[in-house]
Amino acid sequence: MSIRVRFAPSPTGYLHVGGARTALFNWLYARHEGGKFLLRIEDTDKERSSEEHTRVILDGLTWLGLDWDEALVFQGARIKRHQETADKLLAEGKAYLDDGAIRLTVPPGEIAWDDAVHGRISFQGADIKDFVILRSDRTPLYNLAVVVDDLDMQITHVLRGDDHISNTPKQIALYRALGGGAALPVFGHVPMINGPDGKKLSKRHGATAVGDYQHMGILPAAMRNFLALLGWSPGGDREIMTREEMVRLFSFAGIQQKSAIFDMTKLEWMNGQYLSATSAEELYPLVAPQLAQLGLNGRKDAVLRAIAAVKTRSRTTLDVAKQVAVRLDTRFVQLDEKGAKEIAKDPAGYKASLEASLAVLRRVDWTPETLEQHLRGLAEQRGVAAGKVFQPIRIALTGGTVSEPVNELLYVVGKEAALKRLESAISGSIPG
Ligand code: GLU
């Protein structure tokens, strides 16, 4: 049997992280099995659907690296098929007219399925009321459209959110009525995504649109990896995985039944891991537009050097851009709270240390190696730990107390600018 799965978003809004996660699980399953991943745009609600939303959803999937097979299916273009199917059920006596609408008869008896995630789920037909499949204006309802489309698209596995569990018995009743029992897909319902407070993820918890994470400087590979772990685990404590590794390891057995928690701190941590592992050259096209937005158009070689220096200490590409800006343009240097506290401990010592460093730095060859060598030499000469020499320089150059090693920082800032920043710090004007 060749596996065919689908992601079926309604283009009534942006691509929600929950939708993206559902798409990812379907994609991983298709790629793992060598099957097909199809996309169906469920645009039957003409009022709320828009081409703009469809475009944003497709852009989001493309950004995440989730490529789809075959042509896009637009549900709205298939209404005739939905109508014909409802008429057929009516003609066969499996549905009836109710005030102009067509309603499916749900026979009593058990309606059950072996859910790929939850195991056996069972409903009683008697508890499910006969339901409308075609309105009196001849527009189809969700359950009818989905079943007709899934049958025509020869979908073998329907993997979707837990919120659809209550639709599944209705859809099975439709499959039975259509005599498509043999074609019944495997259903699997993936856990919902909650915020850290355990409540359904919503805007209250922060950004819920995939596009927002893109703009905030999350890398697509990190987002994909993070989303994969929302409800799925490859076993053990394995977390950082390439797309290929996830494809190899993915299985329904690894999907949890309990809801997943969206933890922003973890996403930022994971993004930091990916930033560290990505070259400055690859990050450049992502960072450059953010620099331009900050009002800085640095030379590419200088920007690359700065990216390489800061990327391991960043959580987002925006974070990278801000730190690059501090290094390449004095206007962005601002004394932060920790920097100010450090200076306040011993303002005279701070100045004296910078003066001694400045005297040395004026005459050294500006390479990371010689800078390190001379500053360590200075510390030895003054009989202090190297950090005592490094920290004032770090504060004078960046305004903060955390950075790459000071010799690299000096190198990235450049001789002329670095000397000026030190002079300003000594005279007490910058940073402050
Ligand atoms: N359009 C439906 C949704 O967005 C699709 C549900 C399904 O996968 O059957 O929830």
Side-chain angles (χ1 to χ4, degrees), residues 6 8-10 40 42 142 146 150 158-160 163-164 171:
R6 80 323 189 254
S10 307
R40 180 171 73 230
E42 304 212 318
Y142 161 73
V146 164
D150 282 343
V158 171
L159 198 59
R160 58 187 172 198
D163 50 338
H164 284 288
Q171 291 177 14

Side-chain angles (χ1 to χ4, degrees), residues 60-73:
L61 294 174
T62 304
W63 180 69
L64 286 168
L66 307 183
D67 55 334
W68 57 92
D69 304 303
E70 303 182 5
L72 283 182
V73 174

Side-chain angles (χ1 to χ4, degrees), residues 76-88:
R78 297 181 37 81
I79 287 190
K80 255 213 165 102
R81 279 287 293 150
H82 309 143
Q83 293 169 339
E84 276 167 24
T85 308
D87 290 339
K88 178 171 166 278

Side-chain angles (χ1 to χ4, degrees), residues 219 271-278 283 311 314-317 320:
L219 298 174
N271 202 50
Q273 300 290 306
Y274 275 86
L275 283 172
S276 299
T278 307
L283 292 175
K311 70 190 177 74
S314 306
R315 292 187 303 178
T316 63
T317 56
V320 172

Side-chain angles (χ1 to χ4, degrees), residues 368-382:
E369 297 73 31
T370 43
L371 286 164
E372 158 135 40
Q373 202 187 325
H374 282 85
L375 290 175
R376 286 197 184 276
L378 174 66
E380 233 167 82
Q381 203 188 316
R382 307 188 81 211

